[in-house]
Amino acid sequence: MSGARWLNLRRGFYRFRRSWLSMVGLVIVAALVLVALVGPALVPHPEHVAGGINTTARFLTPSASAWFGTNELGQDVFSLTIAGSRVSLLAGISVVVLAAGFGTLVGAVAGYYGGWLDEALMRFTDLMLTLPSLILAMAVAAAMGPGLGNTVFAIALSWWPGFARLVRGEVMAKKADTFVIAARALGAGTPRILGRHILPNIASPIIIKMSLDMGFAILTVASLGFVGIGVKPPTPEWGSLLSTARGYLPDYWWTAIFPGSAIFLAVFGFNLLGDGLRDVLDPRARR
Amino acid sequence: MIVPVLLGLSLLVFAISHLLPGDPVALAAGPQATKTEIAALAHELGTDQPLPVQYWSYLTGLLSGDWGQSVLTRRPVLADLRIYLPATLELVVAAMALAIVIGIPAGLLSAVFVDRWPDYLSRILSLGAISMPRFFLGLLLQLGFAMQLGWLPLNGRYPIIEDPPPFVTGFLSLDALLAGDPDAVWLALTHLALPAIAMSLSPLATITRMMRSATIEVLQQDYVLTERALGLSRWLIIFKYVAKNAMSSSLTVIGLYVGWLLGGSVLVETVFDWPGIGLYATKAIVTQDFMPVMGVTLAIGVVFVLVNLVIDLLYGVLNPKVRLG
């Protein structure tokens, strides 16, 4: 890495540390990742995560032995909530990566080639943007059947147009730059120009959008779970946990409060982190 | 503008609904149906025709006011939409009104007190509000204001045992007002309150943030300095000149949010059993009954395009520079 780029990164990190909201976001996200990685192995009742039930211990109030209480099947809510972090994080990342990958492909091709291809791809992208994304995701997920993979695919299907628009604009701005013309003059082919010269130079806005989108992707996964389309029990998904708990309010409030708060905390952490990253990587967008 | 968008939208929605796996007709015919019964139903519904023929008849139907019928209930989609769309629109309008009435002053104040405590407070609150799942907030509101305190009804749009006011606009609160029935107005508004609050939170937060950054930018303009040099009072400048100029960027957000709230209304409607297009679409989606889903999607598209048309006109009111010939 060149000296100047390194210095920029260090300056950026300094700015990031100076903003305590970004640091709070970083701490929340780091904790979430840690919990998702090791949590499911350490929870007090892994058998409940796997779908086991204990009908003699239904609806226990939160106590020292069951921190978040137990639900209608006698399952430990703490274990389920912790295990849910892995499901949500994995689904959120998959949605964003799939959407960014496909969106970048469409946007780069449209922006680089221009002409009728650009026109056709962008009209299609705009149409996809006018579709109500949650309804589209619900319809696709319902038709494909329950399961985490299907849910992720359904959401990503409505998510890529934002990336396509972003990447197209950036590619169009870069393709007339001297270094791209130089590369073409040296005989580089289109895939090489796009992959080696243009895309690395527009990585920042793509990464910013990915980090800003993470929170909303997690929220959307939970939303599908909540309306009962998408991940189904026994997979411990926060949205579907909350949906089940809804029927047991107000008496058994703990079955709803903890998974709901987990969704909020995860989305909040990623939003703070995303905002902080944008300030670091894209100084123009500050304030 | 509106015609090509709807033409494209109808084609896209039609294509997606036919690309998806699953056999809605077999599902509608029931598990006991024989092959010939399914084929008869498919023939009756026209789904045994080639796709281009189906699309053409769907499109010509759309134009003549026939938006197809639900395979399951056999009710025409347009008649259903006439009932459910106003319910959702009432909710969205109430939520946006709350978001605008609170968000615009909050953003202004935040910008005026930039980097002091009112600014920090509003920034943290709005970041929190954006991250709050609407359905979880809805549950918390129900838990607090309906179940514990008992101040507001738990769910629904109007008590089942009461006769709703006569249908005029489809907005119950407005219809009750037109009927001159204060009790009905009260009933409609109390039912509307919690779902509208749950729905308003994220547009409220976004409007506050947009208004804040736009106001900060406007405050740095030379004309603001001139006005201060001329001795105009600070609040006069802010309310008379700055607010108006800062508002146009919030308008864009408002336009985008109307579409987004309509499409996402299902979350709040599920929590509050609000009989709108979100719940209607969900029921149809679960049974793979695509005509209603296509109808809802198109209806949202129409409303979205119309709202943004109005907003384009409003830009001209706020900023004479964008008025075109």
Side-chain angles (χ1 to χ4, degrees), chain A residues 16-259:
Chain A
F16 188 86
R17 267 186 327 189
R18 282 287 301 271
S19 144
W20 62 271
L21 275 178
S22 312
M23 288 308 287
V24 171
L26 184 66
V27 169
I28 296 176
V29 170
L32 199 68
V33 171
L34 192 72
V35 164
L37 284 176
V38 303
L42 300 178
V43 295
H45 293 284
E47 75 276 10
H48 293 169
V49 174
I53 58 174
N54 177 10
T55 44
T56 57
R58 297 173 75 228
F59 293 125
L60 296 179
T61 43
S63 64
S65 57
W67 292 350
F68 292 180
T70 60
N71 67 5
E72 79 284 358
L73 299 172
Q75 295 170 321
D76 180 33
V77 177
F78 178 72
S79 301
L80 295 181
T81 307
I82 291 293
S85 64
R86 182 178 283 181
V87 177
S88 287
L89 217 56
L90 204 66
I93 292 173
S94 315
V95 165
V96 171
V97 167
L98 270 178
F102 188 67
T104 300
L105 187 72
V106 172
V109 167
Y112 190 78
Y113 286 105
W116 66 267
L117 191 59
D118 177 33
E119 195 67 28
L121 284 174
M122 281 304 118
R123 285 295 83 81
F124 179 60
T125 307
D126 286 347
L127 265 182
M128 288 296 291
L129 276 172
T130 47
L131 275 185
S133 50
L134 193 63
I135 294 184
L136 175 66
M138 281 167 62
V140 175
M144 292 178 59
L148 195 60
N150 289 347
T151 306
V152 164
F153 176 82
I155 299 173
L157 201 66
S158 64
W159 211 284
W160 62 266
F163 282 97
R165 285 228 72 101
L166 174 79
V167 170
R168 171 182 176 266
E170 298 285 335
V171 167
M172 282 175 59
K174 283 279 180 293
K175 78 173 176 187
D177 273 6
T178 325
F179 67 92
V180 176
I181 297 170
R184 197 178 307 137
L186 287 171
T190 302
R192 188 178 170 85
I193 292 177
L194 270 176
R196 290 293 295 272
H197 297 283
I198 295 183
L199 286 183
N201 276 296
I202 61 167
S204 289
I206 300 176
I207 292 172
I208 293 170
K209 183 163 167 57
M210 285 175 79
S211 67
L212 283 171
D213 279 6
M214 260 307 283
F216 278 113
I218 290 177
L219 192 57
T220 309
V221 173
S223 304
L224 283 197
F226 183 74
V227 292
I229 295 171
V231 187
K232 288 264 157 68
T235 311
E237 198 279 320
W238 290 336
S240 61
L241 288 176
L242 192 56
S243 161
T244 316
R246 193 163 84 91
Y248 303 107
L249 287 177
D251 297 340
Y252 310 114
W253 50 268
W254 56 87
T255 54
I257 295 289
F258 294 110

Side-chain angles (χ1 to χ4, degrees), chain B residues 19-82:
Chain B
L19 278 175
L20 290 175
D23 188 354
V25 178
L27 215 63
Q32 272 99 38
T34 61
K35 272 216 167 81
T36 43
E37 278 169 5
I38 294 174
L41 184 61
H43 184 74
E44 188 193 326
L45 295 166
T47 52
D48 56 346
Q49 304 262 330
L51 282 184
V53 177
Q54 282 187 51
Y55 176 66
W56 180 249
S57 66
Y58 181 64
L59 192 65
T60 47
L62 280 182
L63 296 175
S64 61
D66 170 20
W67 287 34
Q69 61 168 341
S70 156
V71 176
L72 218 63
T73 64
R74 299 294 177 88
R75 280 177 53 84
V77 171
L78 203 58
D80 281 343
L81 284 178
R82 220 168 263 150

